């Protein structure tokens, strides 16, 4: 690209001096969460869910999990894989999970605290499709996945990669987790989430994270360098791959983000309270299992309750129900002193007003609900089927705004400000006074994406809407991407691990 | 339009059986507001603002207001129109304003309660430009204004017209308020806001509202049938037209929505706390003046603190600072037991993701802040310069979602829901069970604008983004608009009033 072309493009996005964004930083939410239910209502949900686990029970398809549960005191009906647990057993086990833990990143400056009043923004994980304005929606590829990881690295407000932003469908499915792990460990030095469909994918993740982070394999124990979401197959079922993944994570002391997928009206009762009680039962069950495997293993209470559109059966996200469910989930997680995970979601099929207001509803609902980890916080589109390059930028702006909103308001300046008003006097303006000049550069939030110029200037420079501007921004971020340095011997060891494991998996050694 | 064309268009918007929307209904916010400042910080702002009024004072250009203030105990310096008030005077006067009052509509079923935990959604007021996807941005006309009022009438979630959604720049400026009043009183039976630039515009509003509402002119006293925003000319100035409007409103016992325009960095200090202390001073001063005119006159604490972009000087709206300011304003208003007004704002120049996320930030900030009246809640674009037909629909959807979010979550069903889970069992689904069938029709929020269909269906039916769908919706609402009935003698009396007043104003009789 010539300098002239480059200058022109910069001009079209209204940015002449590079992109502005906040630096990497941990986020704390010091505001009081909004409790939308009373304590008695929370207790009713708690009791209903424990009774569900005692009477209906969970179907656990993974044999080792059933055995662990049986030895731990659960009642196991082998004929139909049904596991029932006494309420006190669940309560005792859940109480063993830590309220706060640290997830380590390749760059220790990017280690994350999960729990308490800390707030982690994790990027989208899992979509099978990639989408952008230029190339449209298509099946995800290895190249798309790598580009998306580069952008996650570039966007400072995103704390953590979220478990593969785009499925590399052009790679063999048995070994593509190795390609993803190698990519995420070399393209970014932020922490990340692994895959848990089967125990071997977890073992590979831990081994590769240890190599990348420079930790001898025998020194991993006691440090959290891997972790990911374990979904229940709602209603009330834990399948074999997820059971394997959970047991493997807990055994190694890695993080289980226990998340039922309780879509009210489909996999859950058609009332929100019913879906939430079911969510609570499934989440507590999975967390209890982690503590049977290894007491004190880090576990996160995951909430993903939403509802289906009762006309079409399609899932709806970022709805009023979603915001309420997110808040109740926070109340429940705090009741158990567990870190709480929720998500930034939308059903929209494109990066439009709907995508923005549904994501806004999600972010406010979860953050006011006291969330600790927002999965899919950036890049999710179309009910999670698609990772969108433009949505990633829109979300990054919204996350930056939330982070800034969570900065407590400093009131120390009130005296000096009043002196400035006296100086300016009625009817004047503050542009030129000393009080302004001393502070103006860092006084207010400076946006990544928003365009605050007047209509005429905006129109003259192309009348680009926010989605088109986002398109320019991700391209600029990709253009200026620099891979974070890695010691050559570590890079080599990672590559050798991947090569060896691909051979092994090729001959059936999972 | 032929039926075939109509059917096709309906199909393109994905709606075959008419538009779905919530019925008209009052909204209460039973959730606890979020206090982001401690009591001591609020007290510091309170004290600073009272000191400002005592030491710097307000410049009051309206002579009658100065005289009222002088008689009321303020210290008036006539040479520079400066009015200084003792803190106890301000506090005593502000305490006389009612915490809650009712604004009457032509249709008594649409009367509104302002204050307490009630929440009023008022449509955009004041833009000079109109905009839609077909015709672009243009100077507002009488026809545009009337269309917009029809849509405000049609959209049930909007409680109140907001003081002229679009300026009818094609009408003579001295009398166009009469055309606006006649339009709003005939095209909708919802309550509305009048113009206050000069006392005669307020007197005409009260007289015409009395005619339309069927109240004899001598029975108006004690009923609130008119009201509007009175802006300070920040910093610390009340000009002649606004002073006249305020005095006229208060004298007639009509509602003053006292709103400083404190843009931090321009008309206010560059720190948020400084701007908020100034806002507090100006708002309290105006409210105190209403109580000197008539103790007990309804008055609303208006907050409009935002900030300028310090690079360009352009105002920024819907920012993190805006959300924080909205919350602190709520704390201040509650300290004085006054109804609290804020706004739904954005700086975006088009109906895009930025418009949606800035509006989302505004709505959540104000509503979590315990707002009672959201001015510009629907239709505002481009920093308030433009009323957008598509934005009106986007906002109506967002308001519907907030209203639904504010519906307390019913937990009574938990027992029956647990029985449904037992019935379905692990791994099943809930589509066909009795618990679902009995409830599915009204179980969840049903959107006005959001499209939850899958990508393929959405693409096959035109791949319309939310803004394009909004375009179809407002056209459909205009097409199906029916003027609310009005008794012929009242209609005639209104028309005669307008004709008479136009003649009078033509010969200088304001």
């Amino acid at each position: 690209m010539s300098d002239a072309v480059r200058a022109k493009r910069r001009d079209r996005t209204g940015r002449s001096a590079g992109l502005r964004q906040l630096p990497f930083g941990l986020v704390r939410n010091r505001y009081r969460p909004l409790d939308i239910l009373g304590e008695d209502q929370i207790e009713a949900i708690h009791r209903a869910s424990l009774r569900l686990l005692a009477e209906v029970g969970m179907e656990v398809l993974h044999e080792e999990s059933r055995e662990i549960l049986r030895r731990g005191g659960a009642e196991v009906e082998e004929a139909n894989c049904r596991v029932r647990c006494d309420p006190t057993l669940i309560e005792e086990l859940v109480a063993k999970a830590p309220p706060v833990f640290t997830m380590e990143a390749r760059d220790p400056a990017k280690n994350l605290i999960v729990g308490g009043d800390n707030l982690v923004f994790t990027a989208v994980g899992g979509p099978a499709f990639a989408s952008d304005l230029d190339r449209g929606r298509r099946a995800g590829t290895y190249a798309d996945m790598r580009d998306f990881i580069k952008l996650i690295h570039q966007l400072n407000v995103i704390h953590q990669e979220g478990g593969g932003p785009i499925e590399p469908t052009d790679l063999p499915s048995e070994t593509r987790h190795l390609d993803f792990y190698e990519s995420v460990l070399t393209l970014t030095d932020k922490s990340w989430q692994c895959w848990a469909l089967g125990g071997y994918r977890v073992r590979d993740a831990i081994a590769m994270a240890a190599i990348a982070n420079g930790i001898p394999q025998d020194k991993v124990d006691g440090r959290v360098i891997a972790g990911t979401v374990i979904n229940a197959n709602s209603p009330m079922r834990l399948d074999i791959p997820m059971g394997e993944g959970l047991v493997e994570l807990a055994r190694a002391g890695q993080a289980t983000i226990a998340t039922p997928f309780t879509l009210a009206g489909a996999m859950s009762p058609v009332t929100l309270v019913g879906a939430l009680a079911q969510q609570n039962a499934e989440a507590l069950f999975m967390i209890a299992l982690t503590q049977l495997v290894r007491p004190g293993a880090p576990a996160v209470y995951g909430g993903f309750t939403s509802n289906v559109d009762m006309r079409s059966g399609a899932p709806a996200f970022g709805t009023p129900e979603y915001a309420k469910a997110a808040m109740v989930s926070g109340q429940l997680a705090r009741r158990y002193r567990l870190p709480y995970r929720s998500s930034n979601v939308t059903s929209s099929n494109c990066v439009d007003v709907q995508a923005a207001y549904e994501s806004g509803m999600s972010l406010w609902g979860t953050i006011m609900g006291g969330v600790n980890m927002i999965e899919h916080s950036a890049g999710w589109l179309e009910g999670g089927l698609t990772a969108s390059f433009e949505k990633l930028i829109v979300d990054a702006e919204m996350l930056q705004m939330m982070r800034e909103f969570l900065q407590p308001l400093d009131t120390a300046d009130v005296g000096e400000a009043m002196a400035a008003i006296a100086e300016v006097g009625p009817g004047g303006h503050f542009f030129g006074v000393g009080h302004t000049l001393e502070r103006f550069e860092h006084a207010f939030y400076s946006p990544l994406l928003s365009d605050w110029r007047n209509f005429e200037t905006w129109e003259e420079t192309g009348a680009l809407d926010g989605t088109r501007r986002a398109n320019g921004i991700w391209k600029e971020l990709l253009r200026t991407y620099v891979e974070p340095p890695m010691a050559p011997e570590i890079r080599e060891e990672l590559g050798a691990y991947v090569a060896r494991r691909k051979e092994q998996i090729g001959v059936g050694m999972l």
Side-chain angles (χ1 to χ4, degrees), chain A:
Chain A
M1 182 168 27
S2 74
D3 281 347
V5 170
R6 195 173 291 155
K8 195 176 166 204
R9 195 180 62 192
R10 282 211 198 109
D11 186 53
R12 277 168 57 84
T13 60
R15 276 147 230 288
S16 55
L19 295 168
R20 297 187 293 264
Q21 60 171 321
L22 299 181
F24 185 91
L26 302 187
V27 178
R28 290 177 64 194
N29 177 1
R30 295 178 177 86
Y31 300 141
R32 186 175 52 188
L34 178 58
D35 292 345
I36 64 167
L37 292 187
E39 265 185 49
D40 53 330
Q41 291 175 300
I42 291 294
E43 286 312 295
I45 294 174
H46 165 73
R47 282 193 306 273
S49 57
L50 289 193
R51 200 172 146 191
L52 204 57
L53 290 177
E55 295 178 2
V56 174
M58 288 281 288
E59 184 177 82
V60 178
L61 300 179
H62 180 229
E63 191 180 341
E64 188 186 1
S65 290
R66 285 201 304 281
E67 181 55 23
I68 292 167
L69 285 154
R70 194 190 57 72
R71 276 189 276 118
E75 179 198 316
V76 177
E77 197 176 335
E78 274 295 327
N80 59 3
C81 304
R82 197 70 70 93
V83 179
R84 294 183 179 82
C85 296
D86 192 70
T88 54
L89 177 63
I90 296 288
E91 287 187 298
E92 281 169 20
L93 288 170
V94 166
K96 293 181 186 176
V100 185
F101 62 90
T102 297
M103 274 188 95
E104 296 187 28
R106 219 182 96 197
D107 177 357
K110 293 172 183 166
N111 288 354
L112 302 174
I113 308 170
V114 180
D117 63 3
N118 300 282
L119 183 46
V120 170
F121 297 143
T122 304
V124 64
F129 297 93
S131 173
D132 64 69
L133 286 185
D134 305 293
R135 294 167 291 181
R137 179 187 188 255
R138 71 266 180 193
T141 63
Y142 180 59
D144 278 328
M145 182 195 75
R146 288 179 61 89
D147 280 348
F148 220 87
I149 294 172
K150 289 177 188 175
L151 291 171
I152 290 166
H153 178 70
Q154 284 280 65
L155 289 160
N156 295 335
V157 76
I158 301 176
H159 292 116
Q160 184 175 59
E161 190 283 333
I166 296 168
E167 185 81 16
T169 58
D170 52 345
L171 297 182
S173 62
E174 305 74 29
T175 54
R176 66 170 74 135
H177 67 286
L178 296 165
D179 302 294
F180 160 52
Y181 296 172
E182 189 177 25
S183 295
V184 76
L185 285 167
T186 51
L187 296 176
T188 181
D189 52 15
K190 294 180 181 180
S191 69
W192 58 293
Q193 295 192 8
C194 66
W195 293 352
L197 278 175
Y200 73 101
R201 291 196 173 90
V202 171
R203 286 190 296 274
D204 284 334
I206 298 169
M208 289 176 70
I211 294 169
N213 295 11
I215 304 171
Q217 301 288 340
D218 62 349
K219 303 285 186 202
V220 169
D221 201 86
R223 305 172 70 159
V224 185
I225 59 172
T228 194
V229 171
I230 298 290
N231 289 121
N233 283 68
S234 306
M236 308 302 285
R237 178 189 278 166
L238 183 66
D239 68 18
I240 293 173
M242 281 290 164
E244 273 190 26
L246 181 152
V247 169
E248 204 68 48
L249 282 168
R251 187 174 285 145
Q254 304 303 310
T256 296
I257 304 161
T259 312
F261 187 21
T262 38
L263 210 51
M267 295 90 93
S268 300
V270 76
T271 57
L272 217 48
V273 67
L276 285 162
Q278 183 190 320
Q279 166 191 295
N280 199 54
E282 294 175 5
L284 292 186
F285 182 87
M286 291 189 282
I287 292 167
L289 177 53
T290 64
Q291 303 305 305
L292 273 178
V293 174
R294 175 173 172 148
V300 177
Y301 182 104
F304 209 97
T305 294
S306 193
N307 61 280
V308 292
D309 174 15
M310 295 311 292
R311 280 171 182 80
S312 64
F317 294 109
T319 60
E321 288 83 3
Y322 183 86
K324 286 195 244 192
M327 288 177 172
V328 175
S329 300
Q331 288 190 257
L332 288 163
R334 286 190 293 282
R335 189 203 179 285
Y336 306 114
R337 302 186 63 239
L338 291 167
Y340 163 43
R341 165 261 158 117
S342 189
S343 309
N344 171 13
V345 289
T346 171
S347 300
S348 187
N349 290 302
C350 60
V351 185
D352 65 349
V353 289
Q354 180 185 339
Y357 64 67
E358 288 181 341
S359 273
M361 200 85 186
S362 305
L363 286 175
W364 275 95
T366 56
I367 292 174
M368 291 294 98
V371 68
N372 297 115
M373 176 179 273
I374 305 186
E375 297 262 352
H376 312 298
S377 70
W380 156 301
L381 195 67
E382 199 200 315
L385 293 178
T386 293
S388 155
F389 284 76
E390 285 84 19
K391 180 68 165 25
L392 179 70
I393 303 301
V394 174
D395 285 331
E397 175 77 297
M398 293 177 76
L399 294 176
Q400 286 203 150
M401 289 169 72
M402 292 307 299
R403 176 172 149 186
E404 195 70 15
F405 166 71
L406 293 172
Q407 284 286 333
L409 181 58
D410 184 3
T411 56
D413 179 58
V414 69
E416 287 178 72
M418 295 307 95
I421 297 174
E423 179 187 344
V424 166
H429 69 76
F430 291 76
F431 287 118
V433 295
H435 183 264
T436 303
L437 295 176
E438 287 155 19
R439 292 164 178 80
F440 82 93
E441 274 189 282
H442 304 289
F444 307 120
Y445 173 66
S446 184
L448 170 68
L449 173 64
S450 296
D451 189 334
W452 294 339
R453 297 172 303 164
N454 65 36
F455 184 88
E456 290 71 18
T457 310
W458 172 78
E459 198 173 38
E460 279 162 20
T461 51
L464 298 180
D465 67 23
T467 305
R468 287 234 53 98
R469 295 196 305 273
N471 180 270
I473 292 173
W474 70 255
K475 288 177 183 168
E476 178 69 8
L477 287 172
L478 265 191
R479 194 186 65 78
T480 56
Y481 170 81
V482 178
E483 196 170 301
M486 177 178 259
E489 61 277 15
I490 288 184
R491 184 69 195 82
E492 202 177 311
E493 198 183 341
L494 263 185
Y497 183 94
V498 168
R500 188 169 69 248
R501 286 292 292 139
K502 282 188 176 178
E503 269 182 40
Q504 292 175 339
I505 292 171
V507 296
M509 286 174 58
L510 298 185

